[in-house]
Every structure is written in structure tokens, then in C-alpha cells.
Amino acid sequence: MTVTAAGPLPAAPYDVTVVGAGVVGSAIARELARHPHLRVALVEAQDDVGQGTSKANTAILHTGFDAHPGTLEARLVRDGARLLAGYAAESGIPVEPVGALLVAWDREQLAALPDLARQAVRNDCHDTALLDAAELYAREPRLGPGALGALHVPGESIVCPWSTTLAYATQAVRGGVDLHLDARVTAVSRRDGSHTLTTSRGPLHTRHLVNAAGLHADTLDRLLGHHAFTVTPRRGQLIVYDKLARDLVRHILLPVPTALGKGVLVAPTVYGNVLLGPTAEDLDDKAATGTTAQGLAALREKGRRILPALLDEEVTAVYAGLRAATEHDDYRIAAHPDQAYVTVGGIRSTGLTASLAVASHVTGLLGDAGLDLKHPVDLEPVRMPNLGAAFPRPHQQGPHVVVCHCEHVTLDEIRDALAATIPPRGLPGLRRRTRAGAGRCQGFHCGATVRELFGKTGRP
């Protein structure tokens, strides 16, 4: 098992290199690990897996009911939802099938619901149901006044996105993939059937190349001579409400979607909080992950209409993520066999759901381009520590020393994370793996102890 974060990269060429260790890149690396005769690298610009879009999203396992029928995204989301549900059950990743309500607040939105129900059927989602106002308020009694009806989508679920990405990457590394962190790709050249990647840690050589660079996928694509899409970072700001707000909402509350996305929602999380967001702001800066007073105020105003009582609850945290929006209505997955190169671009908010199906599709494209994919093997299963509030946690299963009392994180959980196959290289990574410091006090009480435990590992 090889995970590196410093020093020169190996000189020997890889058979395949995946650039980008987000949820999609990690899923692709995991799928390639099923072919142990291949030498595979997963290269990430930042110091941990899942550090980009994958760490800051609404954490919904979509059915794909509202995808554009016939698109690659629609197919991969549909297939990916089934695959991820099975994988999560096997791997201990928390999933709650809370269902969604697509709420109509005016006559125009209400008139759009039957078409969305028919679209769901075209996307192989056959269990939606139209609800009138009385049925809607019976299901969500704390909903704001004035809603006219809804489309019920019972298959929509909430999931832990951090555990999913980490599970994929862990299986990949245990299956023989080399994970190289802090290795930003700055240039690519190709000669004699091999790519040479210039990275912040020196050169890396590979026969086949997969571009899963997320927000920077267009930049890498251009280095290979292609101009098929442009990524526009779309910032989504979100507000996380305290766990005491959890009883206010029973479903994911969705607006009728627009061209910019699914709009502002209210959703429970598997951790027991309630999310409000996201905004949809097209920016030029691919590092602009800060929140703004204007954006948060706009969210609160929308939240006041959707679930008025939510605004009386305490805010635990605010954050922002950037989605890789493009000028196209579909994923930009394309093979270039003459270059032994596959680009995986324009993977928007559905990427978490579609990740395993994307991995299978991309691996097939590599096979079509000449990569030897004979005799795949089953990977040893992984079992992730449960972070879900609806499932048994370690502190409930015998005597434990609890370090983070807001999130009930035990000393053993922190030690296990620090000794894991892919350990955190910073306190934010430890927080994502354990929830330590992510609760009501945001680490005020446990922060010193957590920092001391982290420091004892000898990592920077």
C-alpha cells in the first residue's frame, strides 16, 4: 500500500494514471484496482482525497428522476444510484431513504409537476406521486404557508459523501493503486506512446491518462489539445442548522428546478443536522469557496418561506462548495484513443450518485483504447466507521472515552482514523473522517485534545 505526500514521484511508468482524487477519480481508481496486473496511480493536487467539490455538497443520493432523458448523465445517475446503494450497505456508509418532495409554490410550478412525473418515468423512476396541498402538509406539517402541491419522489436518499470518497480511495490503495497527494499537474507531454506529467513533485510517466480533475478538468484537457468544454465554477453556499432542528423536516424539500440547477433546498443530513442551500453563483475564481453575507442572507430569506421555524434554530456552520458547471447539459466524458486519454469533465452535483457507474463507463473506454482489462478480481471489502446519527455509533456500544461530546466521537475513533490506510494530513481531514470538531461548539471544547492527538502522529 503506497500513499505519498512528499518527495519525487516514482520513475517507472504507470499503465494508467487518474488525475483528481475526488469522488469520481477515486471511484475510477478503485475500479482499475480490480485489475491487479495494471500499475495504477491516483494523483491529487491537494493534501487529501475529496478536497474539492466532493467535500462540500448537499450529500443527496439522487434517483435521477429529473435528469434530461437520453443523456449520458441520466443513464449513469440511474445505474450509479443502484450501485452506490449496494456499495454503501456493504461498506457501512450511512444512507437514509427519506424521500423528496418537489414543492410547488405557485400555479406555474404546480402545472410543471405532471411533466416532471412523466420525465421521471422516462428515467426509469416509476414510483413518484402527485400530492395536493392537504397531502403535502400532512407529510410536512412545518412547511411554510402557501404551497399548492408537490411531487413525491420516495427513492431520494441522503448519504455521507466524505465516507464514500474515502472508501473508494482506501479500496484502491489496498488493491495496489499508488496515491500521490500534493502533486499538482502543471504540464503534459506525449512521446513514444507515453504521457509525461509535470507535477509539483516532479515528472510522472504513464501510458494511459484519465482526467478527473473536477474544476480543473478543462485546463488539463487543453494541455492535451482539446477545447470541448469550459468549466465555470458555480458556488453553492449552505447553512448547517443544529441537530435540534432535525424534527422540523421529514423529507428533502426541493424546489421546481431551473436551468441553474435544483435550486435552494432544505434537507436533513445523515449526521442529524439540517441543510439550507445551495446558492448558484457563477464565478471566475476556481478557489472562491468563501461564504458571503449577501449569499447567506438570501438563503435565510428562501428558508423562511420553505420552513419558517428553521430560522429560529441555531446555526452550527456555514460553508461553500464549487460545482464544475459547463456550457453543456450533459457530462463531458470522451475517449481519445490515439492519445490513450479519457477526459471526465462537467460532472456536476450528481457526480456522487453516478460515481461507480462513471468508473465502469470510463474503464470500458480505456479497454476500447487498448488497455488490458482481462480477468478482473473482486476487491477486499472495506468497512467504514459509521458517522450516521440514525445508526449505532461506537459510544453507544460499551464504555469509551468520548473526546468530542457534541458529536459523541470517541478516542478510539480518532486513533483509528489517524492510523488508517489514508490518514488525514490536517485537522479538517480528521473532522471529515470522525466528525470531531464538527458539532455545536465547532471544536471549542475538544479542539485542544484533538490537536494534541493529531500532533502525536508526527504529520504536519
Side-chain angles (χ1 to χ4, degrees), residues 35-104:
H35 304 273
H37 62 283
L38 297 177
R39 190 162 184 264
V40 180
L42 177 60
V43 174
E44 168 57 41
Q46 301 193 63
D47 68 353
D48 201 358
V49 300
Q51 280 278 58
T53 300
S54 300
K55 76 174 181 182
N57 55 57
T58 51
I60 294 175
L61 180 53
H62 296 284
T63 58
F65 77 96
D66 58 348
H68 293 289
T71 60
L72 179 62
E73 180 179 15
R75 176 171 69 83
L76 295 181
V77 169
R78 181 188 65 236
D79 295 346
R82 173 181 51 80
L83 292 170
L84 181 50
Y87 182 82
E90 175 188 88
S91 305
I93 298 167
V95 173
E96 289 186 57
V98 295
L101 293 170
L102 197 68
V103 180

Side-chain angles (χ1 to χ4, degrees), residues 18 24 48 56 65 77 89 97 111 200 224-225 251 259 263 285 301 311 340 349 357 359 381 387 397 401 419 438 446:
V18 181
V24 170
D48 201 358
F65 77 96
V77 169
S200 53
L224 274 295
H251 304 75
D285 185 355
E301 189 61 32
L311 276 295
S349 57
L387 303 181
Q397 303 170 21
V401 176
C446 68

Side-chain angles (χ1 to χ4, degrees), residues 20 121 141 162 189 192 206 275 333 350 397 403 427:
V121 171
W162 305 328
S189 61
D192 298 330
T206 185
L275 282 182
I333 301 178
T350 54
Q397 303 170 21
V403 174
L427 292 175

Side-chain angles (χ1 to χ4, degrees), residues 244-319:
L244 293 175
R246 178 62 181 84
D247 290 339
L248 296 178
V249 61
R250 302 172 182 174
H251 304 75
I252 303 163
L253 301 180
L254 298 170
V256 177
T258 69
L260 283 178
K262 299 181 185 299
V264 173
L265 57 82
V266 173
T269 74
V270 294
Y271 319 115
N273 303 95
V274 177
L275 282 182
L276 171 63
T279 58
E281 312 156 55
D282 285 348
L283 307 174
D284 295 324
D285 185 355
K286 293 183 179 182
T289 56
T291 57
T292 66
Q294 181 180 8
L296 297 177
L299 286 181
R300 286 193 294 269
E301 189 61 32
K302 290 182 182 294
R304 192 180 309 278
R305 182 181 192 187
I306 301 167
L307 203 68
L310 185 62
L311 276 295
D312 296 327
E313 299 294 332
E314 294 291 332
V315 172
T316 296
V318 297
Y319 66 93

